[in-house]
Amino acid sequence: MSLRSRLDPFTLLLLATVALASLLPVQGRAAVVMDVVTNGAIAALFFLHGARLSRAAIVAGALHWRLHLTILACTFALFPLIGLLGRPLSGWLLTPELYVGVLFLCALPSTVQSSIAFTSMAGGNVPAAVCSASLSSLLGVALTPLLMALLVGSAEGAMAHPLTAVGKIMLLLLLPFVAGHLLRPVVGGWVERRRAVLRWTDQGTILLVVYTAFSASVIEGLWQETPVWTLIAVAAVCAVLLGIAMPLIAWIARRLGFDRADEIAIVFCGSKKSLATGLPMAKLMFASGGLGAIVLPIMIYHQIQLIVCAVVARRYARGAAQAATG
C-alpha cells in the first residue's frame, strides 16, 4: 500500500470499479452467481489472513496489555462515541444510509499492513503495532457487528437481522480465519513465500465486493438519491472525524504516560480503519439496496487516512531526527 500523499493505484482501481458498476451493473442470474463467487473470495481472504498470523505474535501481544487496551478502546469505544455525536447530520447533511455508513466506519477494526508501515516510518514501537493491529482485526470480526447492532439496530439502511448478520460474519470470516491459523504449520510457509501475490488476492476480493455492492445500489437508484454535494459532505465528515480522532488519541497516550514509541503505535493503530475488513463485513451485514451508500464513507476515509498519516508519520520521523542530533 503506497504511503505517498496522492491517490495510490488501488484507490484508482476502486474508483474505476465504482464507475464500471455505475455504467454496467451486474443483475439477474449473473448477480446471483457473482454473489456466490464473492462470498467464496471473502472466506478465502480470511483463511489466508489467519494463516499469516503467527502464534508468536499472539503470545507477544499479551505482554503489552496497557497499550493494546488503549488502542482497542480508541478503536471500538472512542470512534463510535464520536460517530454518535454526528447523529444530527443524518437527514440533513447526510442521507440516513450514509450516516449508517459513518457509524459503520467508526465501528471497524484497525488496519494491519498500513498501521505497521506508518508506525515503522515514524520510528514507533513496531512489534506492539503488529500485535495490536492483528488483535484489533481479529476482535473486530465479532465486535463490529455487535457494535452496529447497538448503534443502529434495525433502522433504515441498517442490519435487518443483527443476529443473522453476526452468524454470517462468524461463518464466512471468523471460521475461515481460525481454520487458516490452525493450518498455519501446513500452509504458513507457502503463504509467506507468496505475500506479494496474495496482496492481489486481498485487493481483488475488495474490488469484487465493491462491484457487487454498487451494482445492486445503482439498480436501486443510488446516484439519483446521492447527489455530488452529498459526496463532498461525506468527504468533509470523514476528514473532520480523522482530524478529531488523531490529536485526541495522541493526547490520551501522553496522559496515560506512554513513551514516544508507544504513542506512535497508539496513534496509528488507534486512528486507522480497515477497508480490507470493512467491505467484506458490510457485504454480509447490510441489505444490498443500501450497501453502496453505506460503504462510501470507509472508501473515502481510506484515502484520507493514507494522506494524513503519511504527513503525520514524516513529522514524527523529523522530530525524532532533530531530537537525536540536538
Side-chain angles (χ1 to χ4, degrees):
M1 185 176 293
S2 174
L3 302 181
R4 293 169 293 181
S5 297
R6 61 180 178 84
L7 287 175
D8 65 331
F10 180 57
T11 300
L12 296 176
L13 283 174
L14 280 175
L15 295 175
T17 302
V18 171
L20 178 63
S22 300
L23 296 173
L24 296 172
V26 64
Q27 50 190 310
R29 184 176 294 274
V32 175
V33 173
M34 182 68 75
D35 191 61
V36 173
V37 172
T38 302
N39 285 342
I42 290 171
L45 170 67
F46 278 82
F47 177 87
L48 294 173
H49 278 305
R52 293 174 190 174
L53 183 62
S54 70
R55 195 68 50 85
I58 297 175
V59 174
L63 301 180
H64 205 344
W65 61 269
R66 284 186 67 246
L67 179 143
H68 302 318
L69 286 179
T70 302
I71 291 174
L72 292 174
C74 291
T75 301
F76 297 113
L78 178 63
F79 261 91
L81 288 174
I82 296 174
L84 285 175
L85 293 177
R87 187 174 294 278
L89 300 177
S90 179
W92 169 60
L93 189 62
L94 302 176
T95 65
E97 290 82 3
L98 287 172
Y99 177 64
V100 169
V102 171
L103 290 178
F104 177 63
L105 159 65
C106 291
L108 284 174
S110 178
T111 62
V112 177
Q113 182 180 351
S114 60
S115 291
I116 297 166
F118 283 121
T119 300
S120 175
M121 180 179 174
N125 188 337
V126 175
V130 172
C131 297
S132 281
S134 300
L135 180 62
S136 176
S137 181
L138 177 61
L139 293 179
V141 174
L143 289 179
T144 296
L146 292 176
L147 278 172
M148 289 304 295
L150 292 173
L151 292 172
V152 297
S154 57
E156 181 181 357
M159 295 182 290
H161 303 286
L163 292 179
T164 301
V166 172
K168 290 181 179 179
I169 293 290
M170 297 299 178
L171 180 63
L172 285 179
L173 274 65
L174 185 60
L175 184 60
F177 186 95
V178 173
H181 184 66
L182 292 177
L183 289 174
R184 178 176 169 80
V186 179
V187 302
W190 182 87
V191 170
E192 291 295 334
R193 290 192 299 271
R194 290 163 176 80
R195 275 184 175 268
V197 175
L198 293 177
R199 179 170 62 89
W200 295 104
T201 304
D202 292 359
Q203 297 184 355
T205 301
I206 293 172
L207 295 176
L208 275 175
V209 173
V210 170
Y211 180 64
T212 54
F214 271 86
S215 291
S217 297
V218 167
I219 293 171
E220 293 287 331
L222 170 65
W223 297 125
Q224 288 77 16
E225 300 173 1
T226 310
V228 174
W229 70 265
T230 303
L231 297 178
I232 297 173
V234 173
V237 168
C238 290
V240 170
L241 177 62
L242 185 61
I244 292 173
M246 286 194 78
L248 184 56
I249 291 171
W251 179 82
I252 291 171
R254 292 166 191 164
R255 291 288 294 177
L256 292 177
F258 288 101
D259 62 25
R260 182 181 177 278
D262 286 347
E263 175 193 325
I264 291 171
I266 291 169
V267 167
F268 288 117
C269 293
S271 66
K272 294 182 69 59
K273 294 293 182 174
S274 177
L275 181 74
T277 301
L279 290 182
M281 291 180 75
K283 166 71 168 52
L284 302 175
M285 289 169 59
F286 299 104
S288 60
L291 185 55
I294 289 172
V295 299
L296 268 178
I298 180 57
M299 292 175 63
I300 294 173
Y301 187 90
H302 164 78
Q303 181 59 35
I304 294 174
Q305 72 182 2
L306 284 180
I307 296 171
V308 172
C309 288
V311 174
V312 173
R314 284 196 291 267
R315 183 171 298 176
Y316 269 121
R318 285 197 301 267
Q322 290 171 358
T325 57

